[in-house]
Amino acid sequence: MHSTYDSRSGEESITLRTYRAAGVDIDAGNALVERIKPLAAATARPGANAALGGFGAFFDLKAAGFKDPVLVSTTDGVGTKLRLAFATGKHDTVGIDLVAMCVNDLVVQGAEPLLFLDYFACGKLDVDVAADVVKGIAEGCRIAGCALVGGETAEMPGMYTDGEYDLAGFAVGAVERERALTGTAAQAGDVVLGLASSGVHSNGFSLVRRVVSDLGLDYSAPAPFANDRSLGEVLLTPTKIYVAAARAAFAAGGVRAFAHITGGGLVENLPRVLPKGLVGELDAGSWDLPPVFRWLMQSGEVAPEEMARAFNCGLGMLAVVAPDRVDDVIAAFAQAGETAHRVGRVGAGAGDAAPVVRIEGLDRWRDG
């Protein structure tokens, strides 16, 4: 509060500084909370009541059915894919991406996703935009079977350009101690199965945006590789959530490792779940390179080797499976709605050398 003197009246007048005048609208924040309460409540699951409004959220692992659990936690964002949401005005799917990036990392440890929290930061809160984002987050949680138990909406004037926001998420899951996948179980001779991605997912968008910019394309124009949809619509296709399929395959027995194909593409992610002395051997001719990736490679003049390092190239999740259980695991994936393809194997490397990935047939992508 500061004081001023009114010379006309000879009286001192009081001018109150307000948070709203400084750029933060508490009422808008409260309106958003009321708008999203039903969305969060719809994600309730055993162990969590998904109620918003408290300072923290409780989760009862016993009520969720665990006996000797180990907690697994992940955090991630959507990256520069958000710039496509800003450019197109479409905000209802990036929340699915956010959840997917977190829960897919949980399930590769054998964990069941239990709860999710989000962080939404902006310069000026647009309740409609924020509600659309949280709508997507709630949908992602519904697909993954985890509860949206809370989050943070931060309105910070001067930190973000008007109409822009940032988005981050945090997920917690649990797995019974003896069932945890730790990246030590794979063996030479194991089979690598691949599950199709839904598109670019949420990695590599700095390169995607550069290609679009260099070609002078508009996100509202028809996609050069899919004329029935706009370029922005195709690129905003949300990241596929593999929780149900991966858990079904894990329950079938024989899965020794999963790899979620995110930043670093096929080249960097499979080695993360292989012990030393092993090599992941993939055959690029064993699955189809989706049109969006072929367009990026050809129109953007991106080498196949760089594609495999930057993108999922059509495979969003890999499973390393014992040879005698491959048919059972494929059947479990199918029952959960996913078609698994044999895309490679695990081979023996040199002694205690760090695990690597070798991809045969990348020239087929260039020639195809």
Side-chain angles (χ1 to χ4, degrees):
M1 183 174 68
H2 71 284
S3 301
T4 62
Y5 188 81
D6 189 334
S7 61
R8 291 170 298 178
S9 65
E11 297 178 352
E12 187 180 63
S13 63
I14 303 298
T15 302
L16 297 177
R17 294 192 186 276
T18 66
Y19 215 4
R20 184 193 297 268
V24 178
D25 190 341
I26 294 175
D27 292 334
N30 291 336
L32 175 62
V33 171
E34 292 304 312
R35 179 94 65 94
I36 66 179
K37 276 184 177 179
L39 300 176
T43 68
R45 52 150 296 148
N49 61 14
L52 300 184
F55 286 97
F58 291 100
F59 193 95
D60 187 342
L61 287 168
K62 185 175 181 181
F66 288 92
K67 297 179 175 61
D68 184 24
V70 175
L71 293 179
V72 185
S73 58
T74 61
T75 185
D76 213 329
V78 183
T80 63
K81 187 174 186 177
L82 289 178
R83 301 214 68 85
L84 275 69
F86 305 155
T88 62
K90 182 174 173 57
H91 304 278
D92 60 346
T93 60
V94 290
I96 300 176
D97 286 295
L98 182 67
V99 175
M101 295 300 289
C102 294
V103 298
N104 286 343
D105 280 354
L106 284 181
V107 79
V108 301
Q109 312 281 177
E112 175 187 353
L114 301 176
L115 60 91
F116 190 87
L117 299 101
D118 67 275
Y119 174 78
F120 179 96
C122 59
K124 182 174 177 56
L125 181 61
D126 183 320
V127 174
D128 290 335
V129 168
D132 271 353
V133 172
V134 178
K135 177 182 177 182
I137 293 172
E139 174 63 10
C141 287
R142 185 195 65 78
I143 296 170
C146 64
L148 176 59
V149 297
E152 169 71 4
T153 301
E155 191 174 19
M156 299 184 288
M159 288 290 290
Y160 298 91
T161 301
D162 287 349
E164 298 186 356
Y165 54 84
D166 200 7
L167 196 57
F170 181 85
V172 176
V175 58
E176 296 292 358
R177 192 177 304 271
E178 73 278 2
R179 295 279 287 162
L181 293 176
T182 61
T184 61
Q187 304 173 20
D190 285 347
V191 175
V192 180
L193 301 178
L195 301 182
S197 65
S198 56
V200 184
H201 284 185
S202 297
N203 294 103
F205 272 89
S206 294
L207 179 52
V208 171
R209 290 168 43 242
R210 174 62 64 87
V211 171
V212 172
S213 176
D214 288 349
L215 294 174
L217 299 177
D218 191 290
Y219 290 114
S220 63
F225 49 88
N227 289 329
D228 58 330
R229 302 173 67 194
S230 72
L231 179 60
E233 181 184 5
V234 175
L235 292 176
L236 278 170
T237 300
T239 305
K240 184 180 287 189
I241 294 175
Y242 296 99
V243 170
R247 286 181 54 75
F250 190 39
V255 173
R256 290 184 167 141
F258 289 112
H260 180 204
I261 309 304
T262 56
L266 296 166
V267 173
E268 299 289 343
N269 285 288
L270 183 54
R272 296 170 66 181
V273 298
L274 299 179
K276 291 181 178 180
L278 296 183
V279 177
E281 301 171 346
L282 303 181
D283 178 5
S286 61
W287 77 93
D288 293 329
L289 185 68
V292 62
F293 295 109
R294 191 170 300 281
W295 170 75
L296 284 167
M297 181 182 66
Q298 295 175 345
S299 298
E301 299 181 336
V302 182
E305 294 78 10
E306 183 66 15
M307 292 292 298
R309 192 181 187 87
F311 299 109
N312 65 63
C313 297
L315 299 178
M317 182 73 76
L318 300 179
V320 178
V321 182
D324 61 339
R325 301 305 302 274
V326 171
D327 290 342
D328 293 335
V329 172
I330 290 176
F333 276 133
Q335 190 169 5
E338 291 287 344
T339 300
H341 300 280
R342 296 180 185 232
V343 297
R345 61 185 296 276
V346 176
D352 288 335
V356 296
V357 166
R358 297 172 185 156
I359 306 178
E360 298 294 331
L362 285 175
D363 283 342
R364 299 176 193 172
W365 289 358
R366 182 183 288 109
D367 300 337

